């Protein structure tokens, strides 16, 4: 991770404008104060980009328009918001005094798996930056010219040094669903955060005892141990996979 932070410093140094990407389903959780501080110190413009907006209701993210300035909503999947983002980058570059004949270097920063590479591809209109459901996929810097005057720099995702909250990482997708410890606890947290969402997706009743709900999903999906008992861990991992890949919304 230390190596990745060095890359972040380099990207900030080489950029004219910085984007900080935040996952629409976990905006607060994917905030990155360390990155924000570094950008602030550099005195370069920062645009907050809320990604994966196809996975949430508009009202959920609308509140961030006031909190984060400037802020652009995008969905790389639905190709929504990319023109607005391009225009916003041009505005911020102009404000920062970048000459109109000069290429604008744009650094794309954010947690692993928030959709940095996907955004670059959506801006470009074709796949140039490799993406994956496996978090930590981008390992190096990659420059992609997305428009005549715009060079986007893809970076490996970084998480704050102090960050040790594995439940949060599981929800963001920083930890792959296969590697998750205590997957049932992660699912229970998810059920608490988004009341009724998991139950609705799997077509089971909402219950007080959330462990029972996982059991019911296991039975419904036939995820069983050898003896026919519901396999809680495997079911919880399946739920986390469906969440991380955006099936549950
Ligand atoms: N539904 C939806 N999924 C998206 C969107 N953008 C990205 N994803 C998914 O999120 C996952 C991660 O996307 P990437 O673009 O690889 O994310 P990244 O930030 O580059 O990840 P790292 O390189 O691992 O840091 C992939 O499974 C994408 O398909 C979006 O706009 N909508
Ligand atoms: Mg990437």
């Amino acid at each position: 991770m230390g190596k990745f932070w060095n890359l972040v410093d380099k990207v900030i140094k080489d950029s004219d404008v910085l984007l900080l990407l935040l996952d629409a389903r976990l905006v607060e959780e994917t905030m990155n104060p360390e990155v924000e501080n570094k950008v602030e110190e550099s005195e370069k413009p920062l645009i907050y980009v809320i990604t994966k907006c196809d996975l949430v209701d508009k009202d959920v993210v609308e509140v961030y328009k006031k909190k984060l300035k400037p802020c652009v909503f995008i969905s790389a999947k639905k190709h929504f918001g990319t023109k607005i983002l391009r225009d916003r980058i041009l505005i911020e570059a102009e404000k920062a005094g970048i000459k109109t004949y000069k290429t604008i270097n744009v650094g794309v920063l954010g947690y692993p798996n928030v959709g940095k590479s996907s955004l670059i591809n959506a801006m470009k209109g074709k796949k140039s930056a490799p993406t994956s459901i496996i978090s930590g996929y981008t390992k190096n810097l990659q420059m992609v010219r997305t428009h005549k005057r715009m060079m986007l720099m893809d970076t490996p995702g970084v998480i704050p040094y102090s960050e040790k909250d594995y439940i949060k990482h599981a929800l963001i997708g920083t930890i792959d669903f296969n590697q998750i410890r205590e997957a049932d606890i992660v699912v229970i947290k998810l059920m608490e955060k988004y009341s009724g969402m998991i139950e609705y997706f799997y077509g089971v009743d909402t219950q007080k005892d959330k462990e029972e709900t996982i059991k019911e999903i296991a039975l419904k999906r036939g995820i069983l141990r050898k003896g026919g008992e519901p396999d809680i861990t495997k079911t919880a991992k399946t739920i986390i996979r469906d969440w991380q890949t955006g099936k549950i919304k």
Side-chain angles (χ1 to χ4, degrees):
M1 202 37 89
K3 183 181 137 225
F4 288 174
W5 275 104
N6 292 342
L7 290 179
V8 170
D9 289 333
K10 182 175 159 40
V11 168
I12 294 175
K13 193 167 146 275
D14 292 349
S15 297
D16 301 307
V17 177
L18 279 311
L19 308 182
L20 182 61
L21 273 56
L22 305 165
D23 186 319
R25 300 180 302 171
L26 297 154
V27 176
E28 308 285 346
E29 289 84 347
T30 47
M31 287 284 190
N32 207 323
E34 286 180 41
V35 168
E36 287 179 280
N37 288 341
K38 278 175 186 289
V39 177
E40 206 179 314
E41 276 168 24
S42 76
E43 297 183 357
K44 292 181 180 176
L46 175 68
I47 303 171
Y48 294 94
V49 180
I50 310 229
T51 62
K52 310 191 190 182
C53 284
D54 56 291
L55 297 177
V56 294
D57 285 337
K58 210 167 165 249
D59 333 343
V60 178
V61 282
E62 206 59 38
V63 292
Y64 294 105
K65 271 241 158 92
K66 287 207 184 85
K67 283 195 196 166
L68 308 171
K69 282 180 181 165
C71 165
V72 177
F73 299 158
I74 69 126
S75 164
K77 194 172 178 188
K78 297 267 158 73
H79 289 265
F80 165 87
T82 48
K83 282 199 181 65
I84 297 173
L85 179 58
R86 184 200 57 194
D87 292 347
R88 174 51 67 183
I89 293 170
L90 290 171
I91 292 169
E92 295 300 328
E94 193 178 332
K95 275 201 263 176
I98 311 296
K99 302 271 186 303
T100 49
Y101 55 80
K102 208 184 150 254
T103 292
I104 305 164
N105 289 317
V106 183
V108 182
L109 301 168
Y111 260 77
N113 216 42
V114 290
K116 298 177 295 300
S117 303
S118 301
L119 168 75
I120 292 174
N121 293 333
M123 293 281 278
K124 172 123 185 125
K126 70 172 192 208
K127 201 165 167 164
S128 299
T131 62
S132 170
I133 58 163
I134 297 166
S135 139
Y137 196 69
T138 307
K139 300 268 190 305
N140 273 304
L141 299 186
Q142 197 191 345
M143 317 261 276
V144 178
R145 189 173 288 278
T146 55
H147 304 88
K148 211 169 153 203
R149 283 194 59 209
M150 234 173 255
M151 186 73 91
L152 263 62
M153 280 186 270
D154 195 8
T155 69
V158 282
I159 49 182
Y161 272 125
S162 53
E163 185 68 69
K164 300 251 180 318
D165 184 345
Y166 81 93
I167 292 177
K168 179 172 146 178
H169 288 180
L171 296 182
I172 297 171
T174 315
I175 308 174
D176 188 59
F177 69 91
N178 264 318
Q179 318 274 320
I180 282 168
R181 291 171 292 132
E182 300 181 280
D184 53 337
I185 295 175
V186 174
V187 169
I188 290 168
K189 284 276 174 216
L190 191 57
M191 286 175 174
E192 284 166 2
K193 187 170 168 67
Y194 293 101
S195 171
M197 176 188 71
I198 305 274
E199 291 90 335
Y200 178 78
F201 181 79
Y202 293 101
V204 295
D205 292 332
T206 311
Q207 302 182 50
K208 244 203 175 126
D209 184 346
K210 306 219 178 307
E211 199 80 33
E212 281 302 314
T213 309
I214 302 177
K215 247 184 217 169
E216 213 180 308
I217 296 170
L219 292 171
K220 195 157 182 192
R221 286 285 171 112
I223 307 174
L224 308 172
R225 291 179 186 281
K226 275 203 182 112
E229 281 287 300
D231 189 333
I232 300 292
T233 304
K234 207 167 164 192
T235 307
K237 285 187 176 176
T238 303
I239 297 169
I240 296 166
R241 186 197 60 203
D242 287 345
W243 161 258
Q244 286 185 348
T245 54
K247 270 197 198 160
I248 303 173
K249 52 180 167 176

